[in-house]
């Protein structure tokens, strides 16, 4: 399929835990939709995951879980390409070149490094620091031009364009194309159920902070019942929700999962307390997510199928990336392979 002329989409997701409702509403759901209009490459970015230490057995499990959940959500590994990053060495080869193209000053401006490194930046891995260069390589290795990303990734995408432009300029070529962000308006930013000022994250130390896409119905119901809220009733208008991040987050989730606008969702519950709203929210999540987790569990019962699917995806991905990265190496003066 990638040999066709439709624009190439590439996006990645880190197997740094079990994927969450945030990953689903912010990314995976859109990835499924994009399959109708584009040639898509979806990459399970295990090399990004190890920028923070991962337990090896868990990393392997989480990579398989990620693949199973993506397929269960509707990613078609036959028509499109689903693979894990470390199986395609072209990513690392190009990332090294980009490490030598990107400037330290550019990386110093990346806000996500500051967020992810936390207070002790000196203790962060150098991989975490150069992560945006690897992300640029993930996309440019395929000459992909469209990248569905959350708003938090916009800065990394701009960096990927700066790197491409500098490479082209330094070597006098027009080799790497510009990348455009596919920011889908309906992609929701989902916040932690324990602290709505932080995003829902698969690596958060509290399992209660997130809905995992492998959670069963009882866990979903319990997590929503325990989700942090405030004592006030739900108001008539969205404007009145100012300074109530928990209410905004839960209504946003309800709206996203029921395909309503947050204002429409609010009108259903205005004047009521959180109890009845949380019940409806849990019901909506359970009916939407249970078929996904059940299908993923079925797929995971046959790990050999998952591994074969990923290996086949990696072979097809390498067929696209290898000639591009070979050419980038030729441009910079490496001897032919
Ligand atoms: N809470 C979220 N709301 C909306 N979108 C989200 N994404 C992640 N969390 C949310 C989107 O999911 C895609 C894949 O992200 P990733 O797993 O590669 O990295 P991440 O953004 O760092 O996700 P996590 O879950 O927070 O992982 P960890 O815990 O490892 O840092 C991206 O498009 C992202 O925007």
């Amino acid at each position: 399929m990638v040999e066709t002329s439709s624009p190439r989409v590439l996006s990645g997701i880190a197997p740094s835990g079990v994927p969450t409702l945030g990953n689903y509403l912010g990314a995976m759901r859109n990835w499924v939709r994009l399959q109708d209009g584009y040639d898509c490459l979806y990459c399970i970015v295990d090399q990004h995951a190890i920028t923070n230490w991962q337990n090896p057995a868990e990393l392997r499990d989480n990579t398989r879980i990620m693949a199973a959940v993506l397929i269960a959500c509707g990613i078609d590994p036959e028509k499109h390409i689903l693979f894990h990053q470390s199986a395609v060495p072209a990513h690392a080869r190009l990332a090294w070149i980009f490490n030598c193209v990107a400037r330290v000053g550019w990386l110093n401006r990346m806000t996500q490094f500051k967020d992810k490194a936390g207070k002790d930046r000196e203790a962060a891995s150098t991989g975490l620091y150069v992560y945006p260069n690897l992300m640029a390589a993930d996309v440019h290795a395929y000459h992909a031009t469209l990248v569905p990303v959350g708003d938090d990734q916009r800065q990394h995408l701009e960096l990927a364009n700066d790197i491409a432009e500098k490479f082209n300029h330094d070597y006098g070529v027009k080799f790497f194309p510009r990348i455009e962000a596919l920011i889908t308006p309906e992609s929701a930013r989902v916040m932690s159920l324990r602290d709505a000022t932080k995003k829902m994250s698969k690596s958060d130390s509290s399992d209660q902070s997130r809905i995992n896409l492998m959670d069963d119905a009882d866990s979903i119901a319990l997590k929503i019942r325990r989700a942090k809220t405030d004592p006030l009733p739900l108001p008539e208008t969205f404007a009145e929700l100012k300074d109530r991040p928990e209410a905004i987050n839960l209504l946003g989730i309800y709206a996203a999962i029921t395909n309503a606008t947050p204002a429409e969702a609010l009108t259903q519950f205005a004047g009521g307390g959180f109890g009845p709203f949380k019940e409806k929210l849990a019901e909506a999540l359970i009916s939407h997510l249970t078929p996904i987790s059940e299908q993923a569990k079925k797929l995971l019962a046959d790990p050999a199928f998952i591994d074969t699917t990923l290996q086949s995806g990696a072979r097809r991905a390498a067929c696209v990336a290898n000639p591009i990265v070979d050419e980038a190496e030729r441009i910079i003066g490496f001897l032919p392979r």
Side-chain angles (χ1 to χ4, degrees):
M1 58 119 253
V2 250
E3 290 78 17
T4 68
S5 57
S6 46
R8 201 171 280 161
V9 163
L10 183 133
S11 203
I13 187 159
S16 43
V18 174
T20 69
L21 179 66
N23 297 128
Y24 178 70
L25 293 177
M28 295 162 124
R29 189 164 77 156
N30 296 329
W31 291 9
V32 173
R33 292 175 185 150
L34 289 168
Q35 295 180 116
D36 291 336
Y38 304 102
D39 287 339
C40 302
L41 293 124
Y42 293 129
C43 183
I44 302 175
V45 289
D46 48 5
Q47 290 169 319
H48 286 285
I50 61 159
T51 55
N52 284 311
W53 188 83
Q54 303 291 321
N55 173 299
E58 284 175 18
L59 180 61
R60 257 185 293 277
D61 282 352
N62 288 331
T63 302
R64 291 192 181 111
I65 291 172
M66 189 63 79
V69 169
L70 284 165
I71 298 169
C73 286
I75 297 299
D76 183 340
E78 300 285 326
K79 284 203 189 128
H80 298 271
I81 297 184
L82 174 65
F83 66 107
H84 61 302
Q85 188 183 29
S86 60
V88 183
H91 292 244
R93 287 165 55 203
L94 189 58
W96 181 255
I97 296 172
F98 286 175
N99 283 343
C100 302
V101 172
R103 306 288 93 183
V104 169
W106 299 358
L107 292 177
N108 284 343
R109 285 193 284 278
M110 294 298 112
T111 54
Q112 204 181 69
F113 173 74
K114 293 173 194 160
D115 295 343
K116 291 208 169 188
K119 288 198 184 94
D120 193 1
R121 269 186 224 166
E122 299 281 313
S125 72
T126 46
L128 187 66
Y129 184 67
V130 295
Y131 165 116
N133 296 343
L134 177 57
M135 189 177 148
D138 296 337
V139 182
H140 287 307
Y142 298 89
H143 278 177
T145 51
L146 297 171
V147 181
V149 284
D151 213 32
D152 53 339
Q153 292 289 336
R154 205 188 271 270
Q155 201 187 24
H156 289 163
L157 221 60
E158 281 163 16
L159 183 93
N161 277 328
D162 290 345
I163 290 173
E165 217 170 275
K166 183 161 165 53
F167 180 98
N168 289 344
H169 172 269
D170 288 357
Y171 295 101
V173 290
K174 285 187 181 160
F175 187 62
F176 289 115
R178 269 195 80 74
I179 302 169
E180 277 174 45
L182 272 177
I183 308 246
T184 22
E186 64 274 21
S187 74
R189 187 164 171 81
V190 181
M191 309 309 278
S192 158
L193 300 178
R194 306 303 307 161
D195 174 0
T197 61
K198 282 192 343 195
K199 84 170 174 135
M200 182 179 285
S201 223
K202 54 181 122 62
S203 62
D204 191 299
S205 56
S206 162
D207 188 56
Q208 296 298 312
S209 69
R210 58 179 169 262
I211 305 288
N212 300 312
L213 295 183
M214 297 296 284
D215 280 347
D216 60 20
D218 288 348
S219 308
I220 295 175
L222 191 67
K223 286 178 179 181
I224 294 298
R225 253 201 318 280
R226 287 188 179 157
K228 189 174 167 209
T229 46
D230 58 47
L232 302 173
L234 289 160
E236 299 287 332
T237 64
F238 227 75
E240 294 166 83
L241 282 175
K242 193 173 163 288
D243 301 327
R244 296 178 64 186
E246 287 82 17
I248 292 174
N249 186 37
L250 294 181
L251 278 160
I253 294 173
Y254 183 82
I257 212 85
T258 59
N259 290 319
T261 64
E264 283 163 0
L266 182 58
T267 53
Q268 292 180 48
F269 302 103
F274 277 97
F277 164 59
K278 279 182 163 183
E279 243 171 69
K280 290 284 176 212
L281 173 59
E283 264 171 35
L285 284 169
I286 289 165
S287 78
H288 196 99
L289 299 181
T290 306
I292 295 174
S293 62
E294 281 179 356
Q295 177 61 11
K297 279 171 197 153
K298 273 189 206 150
L299 292 166
L300 284 164
D302 185 1
F305 165 78
I306 302 283
D307 290 3
T308 310
T309 303
L310 287 176
Q311 280 154 11
S312 146
R315 272 195 297 275
R316 290 161 63 216
C319 286
V320 183
N322 286 347
I324 294 171
V325 178
D326 287 350
E327 181 61 12
E329 290 185 343
R330 195 197 59 73
I331 290 169
I332 65 176
F334 288 177
L335 288 176
R337 288 171 168 263

